[in-house]
Amino acid sequence: MERGRGRWSSLSRGMLPLLALHTVTEYYRLDRKPPVTAALVAANTIIYLRPTFLHSILPTINQVWFNPHLILKYKDLKRFFLSAFYHLDDSHLVYNMLSLLWEGIQLETSMGSAEFASTVAALVAMSQGITLLLVKSLLLFFDYERPYYQEYAVGFSGVLFAVKVILNAQSDDYTYVHGLLVPTRYAAWPELILIQMFVPGVSFLGHLGGILAGLLFLCLKASYSGANPLRTIIRGLGHALNWPLRFVNCLFRRQRIGGRGTVGGRKTRDTSQMWRCQGCTFDNSGWLSVCEMCGTSRTDDVLSSLSSTDEVQDLSLDELQRRRIQRYGR
């Protein structure tokens, strides 16, 4: 998040073409294009540009500033939720969207699109709520009103800090944060301090709320083993939107005929990094541990066969036959 400076900066938009070029380049090199990350980048950019045909629909930035006093006094949910998607100027937008591209592509690829969408929706509410709780606590216990309770802030960076915590939670590597070598799983903490020291006008509590939201999300996810209701809703909407496309695809798909080949020269999918769901037979990415279509968990047999794919390719037919007899007894 970035604090208000009295008016919305009107810098030139020379950085936006660089953001567009970087986004296109990143997605061009990917085999699987993460749609939710692309939609988030597009939504934030469109809101910032405010095209003429959306003027009557989109609130102005003055109507959505994240201001704890106004949110609590008037129960203004518009400020609570929408302030995360507004940005002050080009540099604010571009910096956040480049971070979203880097983190979002990795997390969406590993989670799946439906899971990632539900995670981002939860993190928006959690990061904003924790920030509001921190500000109110400072007011109640320390009478600390002016710097934070009356603060105006916007931006997606609080959510990005939460995403970074989740993405790096299981990492044992080290990374550089503005020249400092730190464990990757704790990288958000030094970044929080360094950004506050060297970047004027940022919201410390907004970023801190994002980090705490990421930690809380991990704790809740570890303690809850049931189905994610928000993910189920998003997956259902995705299926409903994709149904017309699947129907048209079935109408025009060329049928398999006798012989060894298929008519039309369809490409064979590379299954070396895929696994097939035992429940619905959908081919999932090797990054996923549950089926993206039906939520069925990946079986141990599939995991073991995927991890040993390269080894099997190097074995002779006799050796494969011998191992199959040892395993199954026939």
Side-chain angles (χ1 to χ4, degrees):
M1 281 189 171
E2 192 159 346
R3 295 203 300 264
R5 299 169 181 166
R7 60 186 180 87
W8 198 357
S9 301
S10 56
L11 299 178
S12 65
R13 289 172 177 171
M15 297 180 68
L16 296 184
L18 296 179
L19 172 62
L21 177 62
H22 185 78
T23 303
V24 171
T25 302
E26 284 291 316
Y27 270 76
Y28 179 78
R29 67 179 181 82
L30 295 174
D31 294 330
R32 183 177 181 272
K33 323 293 184 186
V36 177
T37 301
L40 287 172
V41 172
N44 279 272
T45 304
I46 290 173
I47 290 174
Y48 174 70
L49 292 175
R50 291 184 62 83
T52 305
F53 66 92
L54 291 178
H55 273 189
S56 60
I57 301 175
L58 292 176
T60 65
I61 193 171
N62 291 325
Q63 296 174 315
V64 299
W65 287 110
F66 185 89
N67 179 268
H69 170 68
L70 296 178
I71 292 174
L72 293 175
K73 182 178 181 180
Y74 299 106
K75 297 179 174 56
D76 194 342
L77 295 180
K78 180 172 61 179
R79 294 180 182 273
F80 183 85
F81 288 107
L82 295 185
S83 57
F85 300 94
Y86 281 70
H87 294 82
L88 285 172
D89 51 43
D90 283 26
S91 59
H92 188 203
L93 174 72
V94 171
Y95 182 84
N96 279 351
M97 293 304 100
L98 290 178
S99 298
L100 175 58
L101 274 176
W102 172 250
E103 298 167 9
I105 287 175
Q106 296 182 73
L107 197 58
E108 184 175 355
T109 302
S110 61
M111 278 186 168
S113 295
E115 180 78 17
F116 179 69
S118 65
T119 297
V120 171
L123 292 179
V124 170
M126 291 170 65
S127 61
Q128 301 285 74
I130 291 176
T131 301
L132 203 60
L133 182 62
L134 291 173
V135 172
K136 189 64 175 179
S137 299
L138 287 175
L139 178 66
L140 291 177
F141 297 111
F142 302 100
D143 196 24
Y144 208 57
E145 177 177 356
R146 182 176 177 81
Y148 296 115
Y149 194 65
Q150 300 292 344
E151 177 183 89
Y152 290 83
V154 289
F156 207 68
S157 52
V159 181
L160 292 175
F161 268 95
V163 170
K164 182 173 298 185
V165 169
I166 296 172
L167 182 63
N168 296 334
Q170 304 299 324
S171 176
D172 294 323
D173 298 331
Y174 285 78
T175 187
Y176 282 96
V177 178
H178 300 285
L180 296 177
L181 184 63
V182 297
T184 301
R185 67 175 62 187
Y186 304 123
W189 293 103
E191 185 173 352
L192 169 70
I193 303 300
L194 292 173
I195 288 180
Q196 189 66 30
M197 291 173 58
F198 297 111
V199 181
V202 299
S203 174
F204 176 77
L205 289 187
H207 293 171
L208 177 60
I211 294 177
L212 297 179
L215 295 174
L216 178 61
F217 180 88
L218 290 173
C219 292
L220 293 176
K221 188 174 182 180
S223 61
Y224 178 69
S225 58
N228 184 339
L230 187 57
R231 180 186 64 186
T232 303
I233 294 173
I234 293 175
R235 181 182 288 119
L237 291 175
H239 289 174
L241 294 175
N242 285 333
W243 181 85
L245 296 178
R246 294 198 302 268
F247 179 73
V248 172
N249 186 44
C250 290
L251 289 179
F252 291 96
R253 182 183 299 166
R254 298 188 179 183
Q255 302 295 324
R256 182 182 298 271
I257 62 175
R260 297 184 177 181
T262 58
V263 176
R266 290 179 61 193
K267 292 183 178 179
T268 302
R269 178 178 292 182
D270 180 12
T271 59
S272 60
Q273 297 299 325
M274 308 290 290
W275 61 277
R276 178 158 294 179
C277 175
Q278 301 297 318
C280 67
T281 70
F282 181 76
D283 289 333
N284 293 276
S285 167
W287 289 89
L288 302 179
S289 59
V290 296
C291 178
E292 188 172 3
M293 295 297 290
C294 67
T296 302
S297 298
R298 190 174 179 180
T299 63
D300 293 336
D301 288 342
V302 174
L303 287 171
S304 62
S305 64
L306 178 62
S307 62
S308 62
T309 299
D310 294 335
E311 177 186 356
V312 170
Q313 290 176 347
D314 295 334
L315 296 177
S316 64
L317 293 176
D318 293 339
E319 180 66 15
L320 287 173
Q321 180 70 8
R322 185 181 64 81
R323 292 192 179 189
R324 186 179 71 83
I325 293 175
Q326 288 179 348
R327 183 173 184 179
Y328 299 106
R330 56 187 178 85

